[in-house]
Amino acid sequence: AQSVTQLGSHVSVSEGALVLLRCNYSSSVPPYLFWYVQYPNQGLQLLLKYTTGATLVKGINGFEAEFKKSETSFHLTKPSAHMSDAAEYFCAVSESSSNTGKLIFGQGTTLQVKP
Amino acid sequence: DAGVTQSPTHLIKTRGQQVTLRCSPKSGHDTVSWYQQALGQGPQFIFQYYEEEERQRGNFPDRFSGHQFPNYSSELNVNALLLGDSALYLCASSPEYGGGHTQYFGPGTRLTVL
């Protein structure tokens, strides 16, 4: 069965510091991997996704993530945090063999950005 | 171009009642998925509709049912509401059926069961 683990339910960084949000997955087949962001009282917005090809994926708002098969990881990074990055971040996986693309989400990581 | 829209925004019901939530997908999208997000948790997959049929279902009881209309819009129905059904219900649409396609989420319907 697929699963996603996000290490650290809360991460706090200073404005301008590196952001690193960790995600590990479990999947019996090659995965599709996603990062979504959720601002308070809103739905989820896609930051980036990995399906095939280049393992370093660039997304919106300066975020990027690298698919590491050997480590079953898909960590999200941003070189310099902005106050506007404060939000809830979710990592998700779906099976490449799935007809529906059903997403399995992690528990989420709350990113706090301090001035 | 309007994104995914959901109605109502908020809903308060009492235990045992029934509720219907509605979703209009993004223009050109034919596949609709529903997720339940409890407070402080990640979303959990309820089911997905394509060509007016339920294609896959998550680990939810039969009290949860759905429908997709010819215009691709969808409804989620929950019968015999329990306190534990209180959550944010998210609808997501994607441009094609199948894995790997981006799912675009609506703002959600906040359901409170008293």
Side-chain angles (χ1 to χ4, degrees):
Chain A
Q2 292 176 300
S3 65
V4 174
T5 301
Q6 293 183 236
L7 298 175
S9 58
H10 289 84
V11 170
S12 181
V13 301
S14 298
E15 192 174 19
L18 171 72
V19 175
L20 171 61
L21 304 183
R22 299 178 186 273
C23 172
N24 288 87
Y25 69 90
S26 171
S27 178
S28 57
V29 299
Y32 294 143
L33 296 160
F34 304 79
W35 274 100
Y36 281 88
V37 61
Q38 186 176 35
Y39 297 99
N41 301 314
Q42 294 187 26
L44 280 71
Q45 179 184 11
L46 180 73
L47 285 174
L48 48 80
K49 70 177 184 181
Y50 168 80
T51 53
T52 59
T55 57
L56 181 62
V57 180
K58 294 187 185 298
I60 63 171
N61 301 339
F63 285 94
E64 63 181 37
E66 186 171 10
F67 169 55
K68 292 187 176 181
K69 183 179 177 181
S70 61
E71 299 177 7
T72 62
S73 69
F74 191 57
H75 301 331
L76 181 71
T77 61
K78 182 174 179 177
S80 176
H82 295 161
M83 296 296 292
S84 60
D85 294 328
E88 187 83 10
Y89 291 80
F90 292 97
C91 180
V93 63
S94 70
E95 289 187 345
S96 58
S97 59
S98 167
N99 287 330
T100 65
K102 157 191 165 183
L103 293 173
I104 304 297
F105 285 88
Q107 294 287 84
T109 297
T110 302
L111 176 64
Q112 179 187 24
V113 182
K114 297 177 292 186
Chain B
D1 176 28
V4 178
T5 60
Q6 293 185 242
S7 63
T9 305
H10 295 86
L11 205 50
I12 299 175
K13 292 286 188 178
T14 57
R15 281 178 295 173
Q17 286 189 310
Q18 178 265 342
V19 68
T20 298
L21 311 181
R22 296 177 176 81
C23 171
S24 291
K26 199 171 161 62
S27 177
H29 288 193
D30 59 7
T31 304
V32 174
S33 301
W34 287 92
Y35 293 81
Q36 180 195 65
Q37 185 179 19
L39 200 60
Q41 305 292 318
Q44 288 197 309
F45 176 80
I46 302 175
F47 42 51
Q48 184 181 83
Y49 278 84
Y50 172 67
E51 291 187 335
E52 301 179 51
E53 291 186 12
E54 182 183 293
R55 298 293 176 157
Q56 189 173 9
R57 187 179 186 90
N59 188 25
F60 280 81
D62 292 345
R63 298 186 298 107
F64 289 77
S65 63
H67 189 77
Q68 186 179 34
F69 300 93
N71 67 353
Y72 309 129
S73 66
S74 177
E75 288 182 350
L76 164 65
N77 301 292
V78 187
N79 294 322
L81 285 167
L82 304 174
L83 295 179
D85 295 331
S86 295
L88 181 67
Y89 288 85
L90 296 165
C91 172
S93 72
S94 48
E96 292 182 46
Y97 180 65
H101 300 295
T102 298
Q103 294 189 29
Y104 294 81
F105 284 79
T109 294
R110 173 75 62 187
L111 173 64
T112 302
V113 182
L114 301 177

